[in-house]
Amino acid sequence: MDESSQARRAARLRIVLIVCLVASSLANATIAPAKTIRVPETLMRSVTFDGARGRVALASRPTHIGFTWEGSHDSGVSYRTIDETGHVSKWRVAPLSHDMEVGSSRFTGLVAVDRPVNVEYRKELGKKSEDEWMGPITMESINTLDGPKREVALTSTAQSDPAAPAIVTRSEWGADERLKSSTGGCKRTFHPLRQIFVHHTAGSNHDRNGAATMRAIYAYHTQSRGWCDIGYNFIIDWSGTIYEGRWARNYAPWETHDSEDYRNYVVTGAHVGGFNSGSVGISLMGNFTNIGPPLAMKTSLKGMLAWEAD
């Protein structure tokens, strides 16, 4: 074999070696295990009680509570909490979540509480007239921090849309996908985007753990309200962090979790019942009946509205 033949053979061997090394690298990248996080199981307990007022002992010290009942339009619930030292909070009115109402069914937003051992309640009737009425109250006691840990695989590593705001995906905030339903009457429907709704969750302000509250809202919507999934497409917390809400589909690792299908049709949520097809529901985490949202939240909301409208 002459020198030119040896040189060509050596060049071919180098090319084959490089190709093998690249293929091996790609294979390793493909089979690399997905990143996982450990998230507490959501603990939830329902207690139903009647009477004008009373006290409820809590076996699992909750991070959030919410109330539901059948009653007239002006009916409501006040509550106060008692911690393990015996300290009693002030009486507070649980804020109503009007977008969840159906007929005479009333729901409050989820209220963040500091792990009380007891909750006292009292029924509130507005006009005190014969037309005002209120049935038994069910209190949902939710703990999203103290349950046994489970592993959640992170399903997204990038965003394909450079104009999209940063969105915390369902896996990143720790959604337990066993709670949702997407078959039968819960089969997802998609429509071209025509309108955008902005609500508030009617929950607590100054929330410092948006991911934990996302898990509480998710459990409240699916387990107490009976919805197929979390109602809103996106939720923005007090710090301006944007969370993916209602599940739309399985996204590829490079795709933006934009609440849309492959046609760019948006998944139908549970907000604004009867008017939600072809809409995006964005909910602000907190209660803004008497105060305005903080600057960081408004900034993120404006970015979301501009992106969705574009």
Side-chain angles (χ1 to χ4, degrees), residues 1-258:
M1 182 182 294
D2 58 26
E3 292 184 2
S4 61
S5 297
Q6 291 178 337
R8 286 195 298 271
R9 183 182 180 189
R12 284 196 297 269
L13 288 172
R14 284 195 295 271
I15 292 171
V16 170
L17 178 60
I18 291 171
V19 169
C20 290
L21 289 173
V22 171
S24 175
S25 176
L26 290 174
N28 288 335
T30 302
I31 64 175
K35 292 182 179 180
T36 61
I37 56 174
R38 292 179 59 79
V39 179
E41 294 272 4
T42 297
L43 307 176
M44 188 168 183
R45 180 170 177 253
S46 298
V47 182
T48 300
F49 41 85
D50 205 352
R53 61 185 299 166
R55 175 182 288 197
V56 182
L58 303 172
S60 175
R61 295 168 59 185
T63 58
H64 301 78
I65 58 174
F67 301 91
T68 68
W69 67 93
E70 297 286 330
S72 55
H73 181 71
D74 288 332
S75 58
V77 176
S78 290
Y79 71 95
R80 63 181 181 182
T81 60
I82 303 169
D83 67 19
E84 60 183 355
T85 69
H87 176 263
V88 181
S89 73
K90 297 180 180 178
W91 283 102
R92 297 180 175 89
V93 176
L96 286 171
S97 180
H98 293 290
D99 62 314
M100 299 177 72
E101 291 181 0
V102 177
S104 61
S105 297
R106 310 294 174 209
F107 297 83
T108 70
L110 278 180
V111 179
V113 291
D114 193 16
R115 318 292 180 83
V117 295
N118 293 281
V119 170
E120 291 186 343
Y121 74 91
R122 66 187 183 200
K123 292 181 176 179
E124 303 288 354
L125 290 172
K127 299 177 181 178
K128 306 292 184 181
S129 69
E130 293 181 359
D131 295 332
E132 297 300 312
W133 64 280
M134 189 171 179
I137 301 168
T138 296
M139 185 181 75
E140 306 293 356
S141 172
I142 303 174
N143 186 323
T144 61
L145 294 177
D146 298 331
K149 297 291 183 66
R150 59 184 174 84
E151 285 197 349
V152 177
L154 300 181
T155 57
S156 181
T157 58
Q159 293 198 156
S160 56
D161 183 356
I167 298 170
V168 177
T169 67
R170 288 171 65 93
S171 62
E172 288 170 336
W173 58 257
D176 184 348
E177 299 299 0
R178 296 171 298 180
L179 297 183
K180 77 173 189 304
S181 179
S182 57
T183 60
C186 289
K187 185 177 180 179
R188 294 298 191 262
T189 59
F190 297 83
H191 301 272
L193 178 61
R194 293 289 182 266
Q195 48 195 347
I196 304 173
F197 293 103
V198 179
H199 288 169
H200 69 176
T201 63
S204 299
N205 294 330
H206 305 282
D207 197 321
R208 296 182 180 181
N209 194 334
T213 298
M214 283 297 298
R215 297 193 294 273
I217 292 171
Y218 181 38
Y220 191 44
H221 282 190
T222 57
Q223 307 305 297
S224 177
R225 184 65 187 87
W227 289 350
C228 306
D229 193 359
I230 196 167
Y232 315 110
N233 299 86
F234 300 100
I235 296 179
I236 304 175
D237 75 7
W238 193 267
S239 69
T241 302
I242 302 168
Y243 299 90
E244 177 188 13
R246 197 169 187 84
W247 183 82
R249 61 183 173 90
N250 292 319
Y251 293 92
W254 59 84
E255 289 186 297
T256 301
H257 287 228
D258 55 8

Side-chain angles (χ1 to χ4, degrees), residues 165 236 239-242 295-305:
I236 304 175
S239 69
T241 302
I242 302 168
L295 178 60
M297 182 180 282
K298 290 192 291 186
T299 300
S300 293
L301 174 61
K302 287 189 288 184
M304 279 292 294
L305 293 173

